[in-house]
Amino acid sequence: RVRCRSKLHIIMEEPSSLLSSIISSSNSFECLSSPIATQPPSVVRRKFLKLSLLVHPDKNSHHLAKDAFQQLSTAFETLYDEESQRIHLQEVLSEQAEKVEQKKKEQQSNDKKRKRKQQWKQQKSSKKKAVWKRWEDVVADLSRREQSQRI
């Protein structure tokens, strides 16, 4: 059993998963399997060449190869130019910040709902106790009346 240390080895075993991950990628960094940070054009080119050998329609007969290669080429063009890479990086980081902010809002909303539900349950249980105490008072009152009528 051979241990794989790079993603490339794993990807070579599963070409269809590579193609689907490239097609489903949400940004150019993800498409080239690179970290979301500025990178020199030489690194971008190297990653593109490695992945393009696996994805190119002439080398890969999978039906998704053409679409994946087109998306890979677009990602390469975006990240190879330093100015467009900088702009794309800002867009990706702002999208991530928006997602984090949205998750915080959802969490706060869920916390508020949970808190309201707990308060409602507490009020409901306190009302039951109050009603029960009133019933006890009614029973005690009736028993006092019965005793007073007997005397």
Side-chain angles (χ1 to χ4, degrees), residues 1-126:
R1 186 172 162 182
V2 179
R3 288 184 77 169
C4 298
R5 291 191 177 172
S6 71
K7 289 183 180 178
L8 195 57
H9 288 100
I10 296 169
I11 290 169
M12 289 175 93
E13 293 174 6
E14 294 279 338
S16 62
S17 67
L18 170 64
L19 297 172
S20 59
S21 70
I22 289 173
I23 290 173
S24 67
S25 60
S26 61
N27 59 58
S28 297
F29 294 102
E30 192 177 309
C31 186
L32 286 174
S33 302
S34 62
I36 299 175
T38 55
Q39 296 180 357
S42 61
V43 173
V44 173
R45 185 173 184 273
R46 218 174 309 125
K47 288 189 179 223
F48 170 72
L49 290 175
K50 284 182 183 178
L51 290 172
S52 66
L53 287 174
L54 299 171
V55 174
H56 197 279
D58 292 342
K59 305 265 183 185
N60 192 333
S61 61
H62 198 277
H63 68 280
L64 295 174
K66 183 178 178 183
D67 295 334
F69 185 74
Q70 286 176 346
Q71 191 157 349
L72 190 67
S73 298
T74 305
F76 169 72
E77 290 171 5
T78 302
L79 297 181
Y80 190 71
D81 178 44
E82 291 178 354
E83 182 63 25
S84 65
Q85 183 184 122
R86 185 184 59 76
I87 293 169
H88 186 64
L89 179 63
Q90 288 176 345
E91 290 172 356
V92 170
L93 292 176
S94 67
E95 286 175 10
Q96 287 181 341
E98 288 174 9
K99 286 180 183 179
V100 167
E101 191 64 33
Q102 183 66 27
K103 284 184 180 182
K104 282 183 182 179
K105 285 181 182 180
E106 288 175 6
Q107 184 65 35
Q108 288 173 349
S109 174
N110 290 338
D111 290 345
K112 285 181 182 179
K113 287 178 184 177
R114 203 174 298 117
K115 189 174 181 180
R116 278 190 231 127
K117 190 173 182 179
Q118 287 175 348
Q119 288 174 345
W120 180 77
K121 284 182 178 180
Q122 287 174 349
Q123 288 174 351
K124 189 176 175 182
S125 65
S126 67

